Amino acid sequence: MLDSLEIITLVEDSVPMHGPFVGEHGLSFLISGKRNGKEVRGLLDVGQSPEVLSHNMKGLGISPASIDFLVLSHCHYDHTGGAARFVASTGKKNFPVVAHPAIFRSHFKADPVLTSKGIQTGDEREAIEKAGGKLFLSSAPFPLAEGISTTGEIPRETDFEGPGKAFLTLQDGKAAVDTLPDDMGITARVRGKGIVVIAGCSHSGIVNILRRVQSLYPEEPIEGVIGGLHLVNATEEKMEKTLAGIREISPGWVAAGHCTGFPMQVKLSLSLGSGFSPLCVGKRFLVEGDPGKE
């Protein structure tokens, strides 16, 4: 269990009206957990452009050398862009990089034209390792620090969520629908509060992700949810079903942006009131634990 948790948005599609930050279509979070007076810091994703991540980290006074690990939530270019350069910027050897075993597969779209959407040139496995990264590839929940873990691969239980059929991969040399099995998030357990779920794009569905977390920690409430919900082009029915699923699970708060889409943000705001926050670069979320609780 963590004594406290802080999440800072490093890369996001929007920025505050005033400040030194740069926005882009991408996502990156700094996750800082404290326990027994010691702090561990990790990143979930690195956005699309290493220059944007570096610029925003400098603006926030965050040194790459202070980061202990990197988790890649899935293969998409707007979450993994410049991963090798970030690893190199830490100046560390055997720097932990955690992801799903399928993250380096071919991943593309052919609508309207053939375009690679996955790991880009310069961020391949070999490039990350050459930069000083030590890859830990696991489809199961993987420990990152005391109280912090990946979710592992997300079971697909709902009938309204998933990435659809637009994404493709190669199987036996032939194009096939890619179900994005590598989509996963992070759980952070805060003493006396519950679990904060940090997602990348939620291609597997945020309701599926939350159900996965409930199955992993059935006795603990979900304190909060933060990340992209990938509902930017969703139908009204899918948005309403997702909203109903979130309300049924009843997290304490939801912070969503990036690929969530404005219509879904409006629905979340109207439904959750002050329990909803839109994301932007530099936004901080602090969860203080209860020292009297186990």
Side-chain angles (χ1 to χ4, degrees):
M1 290 283 191
L2 299 172
D3 297 324
S4 68
L5 172 72
E6 183 181 45
I7 301 171
I8 303 177
T9 310
L10 302 180
V11 177
E12 215 273 329
D13 296 45
S14 58
V15 296
M17 182 177 294
H18 303 290
F21 306 126
V22 175
E24 70 170 357
H25 180 63
L27 197 64
S28 177
F29 293 118
L30 171 66
I31 301 160
S32 302
K34 290 184 178 180
R35 185 175 184 271
N36 297 332
K38 296 182 179 180
E39 183 179 32
V40 62
R41 290 177 134 194
L43 260 57
L44 177 68
D45 297 337
V46 292
Q48 179 180 163
S49 307
E51 296 83 5
V52 171
L53 177 63
S54 176
H55 175 88
N56 290 342
M57 288 182 72
K58 286 180 182 177
L60 290 161
I62 300 166
S63 168
S66 72
I67 307 303
D68 299 304
F69 64 83
L70 167 65
V71 175
L72 299 176
S73 67
H74 63 299
C75 67
H76 279 167
Y77 69 96
D78 54 323
H79 293 252
T80 60
R85 283 178 58 177
F86 171 75
V87 170
S89 75
T90 69
K92 298 179 179 180
K93 294 182 179 180
N94 294 312
F95 177 81
V97 179
V98 181
H100 188 281
I103 195 165
F104 295 108
R105 72 195 181 284
S106 296
H107 180 76
F108 55 96
K109 277 188 172 183
D111 181 15
V113 67
L114 179 61
T115 308
S116 172
K117 294 291 185 179
I119 299 285
Q120 300 293 295
T121 301
D123 289 319
E124 304 93 341
R125 177 176 189 144
E126 297 77 13
I128 290 174
E129 291 176 333
K130 185 176 180 180
K134 177 66 175 179
L135 286 161
F136 295 88
L137 303 179
S138 176
S139 59
F142 196 85
L144 303 167
E146 186 68 35
I148 308 176
S149 173
T150 70
T151 61
E153 192 169 321
I154 307 298
R156 313 301 170 91
E157 297 181 357
T158 64
D159 61 1
F160 59 90
E161 294 182 295
K165 298 181 179 180
F167 294 115
L168 302 172
T169 188
L170 286 172
Q171 291 182 359
D172 299 323
K174 297 179 181 179
V177 172
D178 193 331
T179 60
L180 276 158
D182 54 326
D183 181 68
M184 61 183 188
I186 288 176
T187 59
R189 304 165 65 206
V190 183
R191 189 181 312 279
K193 289 297 181 68
I195 302 168
V196 176
V197 181
I198 307 119
C201 262
S202 306
H203 286 286
S204 54
I206 191 60
V207 178
N208 280 328
I209 291 172
L210 295 178
R211 288 182 180 180
R212 167 66 164 173
V213 173
Q214 286 184 316
S215 72
L216 293 172
Y217 308 103
E219 303 301 321
E220 297 182 45
I222 294 180
E223 160 67 16
V225 180
I226 182 170
L229 307 189
H230 204 72
L231 294 163
V232 63
N233 294 316
T235 63
E236 182 74 13
E237 179 183 17
K238 184 173 182 178
M239 287 190 288
E240 287 295 334
K241 287 184 175 181
T242 301
L243 183 60
I246 292 172
R247 288 181 61 86
E248 180 181 354
I249 294 168
S250 191
W253 51 269
V254 175
H258 180 47
C259 56
T260 300
F262 182 69
M264 187 62 187
Q265 287 181 309
V266 171
K267 288 180 180 293
L268 287 164
S269 181
L270 292 173
S271 178
L272 305 179
S274 61
F276 170 72
S277 299
L279 293 176
C280 67
V281 177
K283 198 152 192 175
R284 298 172 183 254
F285 300 84
L286 179 64
V287 180
E288 293 279 7
D290 185 342
K293 297 289 183 65
E294 291 297 326

